[in-house]
Every structure is written in structure tokens, then in C-alpha cells.
Amino acid sequence: MKSSSKKTAAPKLPNYVLVVEDDAILSLNLQGALEDAGVKEVVLCTTTDQALEALRRKKPDAIVLDVHLADRDDGWAVAELVETLGPKPPRVIFSTGAPQDIPEDVATLGCVLEKPYDSADLVSLLGQPERTGIIKRLRGALGAK
């Protein structure tokens, strides 16, 4: 008699994650956690200009975006540009100690992790299916025609 045991599948993580964070200790911690979890490529950027250059080179599957960078206080501008990268833009996760500073219309472009957070929370979030709100579903329906 065979026993049927269901194995829980490991969460599907993105292959390439761009981390835009100017706190060196936090960004290295996130890089290590993501690589340990199985993300194949993690690129670290400390400024908006570095993030834009990385986006020009290769489209990531996901972006972890600090919204208050040393060079600019509106890091969410990168998230607005990400929406222009084609039909399946990278998933955006905002990382901030001040979530109330993100404009409401921009906050809908991704989810928010409030600092301080554990890197395991980021890994868990990236392993979950991306939520699809009504706007995203409508965009998909309109783009499919």
C-alpha cells in the first residue's frame, strides 16, 4: 500500500532582484538572505542613478526600493519608471521607515515593508504570489486584446 504524502513546494522566488538601499549593512543583509533563499542574482544600488543604470542593463524580476535615499528623497520615482518597462514590469517592494511619505497613487505600485523588518519577511513576501488588484487585472484584460 502506497502512502500519499503531500510535499509543500518551496516558494517560487524571483531569479533577479535589484535592491536599491543606501544603508550598507541592511543591503548586505538583504543580499545574503536573498541568495541563501535561492535568488540567483542580487544587484545592490545605493543611489537613484545606480538603480537607473542597472535597469538599463537588465530588467529585474523584483525591486526592493528604499524610498528615502541619500541622493534623493523620492525613491518612489524609480517605481513609477518601472511601470514603463513593458507588459510585465518588475514587482516592487517599498522599504521605508516612513510609509506615510509614499504618495497614495505610487503606493499602489507595490507593497510596503516598514523598517525595521527582518530579511526573512522580505524572502517570504517575494515567495508569495503577487496580489492582483482590480487595476492590474483591468490592465491585463485590456492589454490582452
Side-chain angles (χ1 to χ4, degrees):
M1 195 150 112
K2 291 184 183 177
S3 66
S4 66
S5 62
K6 289 187 177 181
K7 293 183 180 178
T8 56
K12 173 78 170 110
L13 292 171
N15 288 319
Y16 172 39
V17 176
L18 180 65
V19 176
V20 184
E21 172 62 62
D22 58 1
D23 180 321
I25 293 171
L26 178 57
S27 64
L28 289 172
N29 181 12
L30 295 177
Q31 179 182 28
L34 292 169
E35 289 173 347
D36 288 348
V39 175
K40 291 178 178 59
E41 183 178 3
V42 178
V43 172
L44 304 179
C45 298
T46 59
T47 67
T48 304
D49 287 340
Q50 287 177 355
L52 295 175
E53 182 58 35
L55 287 169
R56 283 196 259 319
R57 284 192 305 267
K58 183 177 179 182
K59 181 173 133 182
D61 301 311
I63 298 175
V64 180
L65 182 59
D66 182 1
V67 297
H68 294 293
L69 297 167
D71 69 328
R72 289 185 61 148
D73 212 29
D74 64 345
W76 59 78
V78 173
E80 293 175 306
L81 292 173
V82 163
E83 288 293 306
T84 67
L85 294 179
K88 188 169 176 3
R91 183 176 191 175
V92 176
I93 298 174
F94 296 105
S95 171
T96 182
Q100 70 279 1
D101 291 350
I102 304 172
E104 283 186 44
D105 59 325
V106 175
T108 63
L109 299 175
C111 57
V112 179
L113 280 175
E114 186 172 358
K115 292 178 181 176
Y117 59 89
D118 191 288
S119 57
D121 294 335
L122 173 63
V123 171
S124 174
L125 185 59
L126 286 172
Q128 296 173 7
E130 189 172 0
R131 285 186 259 160
T132 55
I134 187 70
I135 300 299
K136 200 168 260 194
R137 286 192 302 241
L138 286 172
R139 274 191 202 146
L142 294 173
K145 293 185 179 193

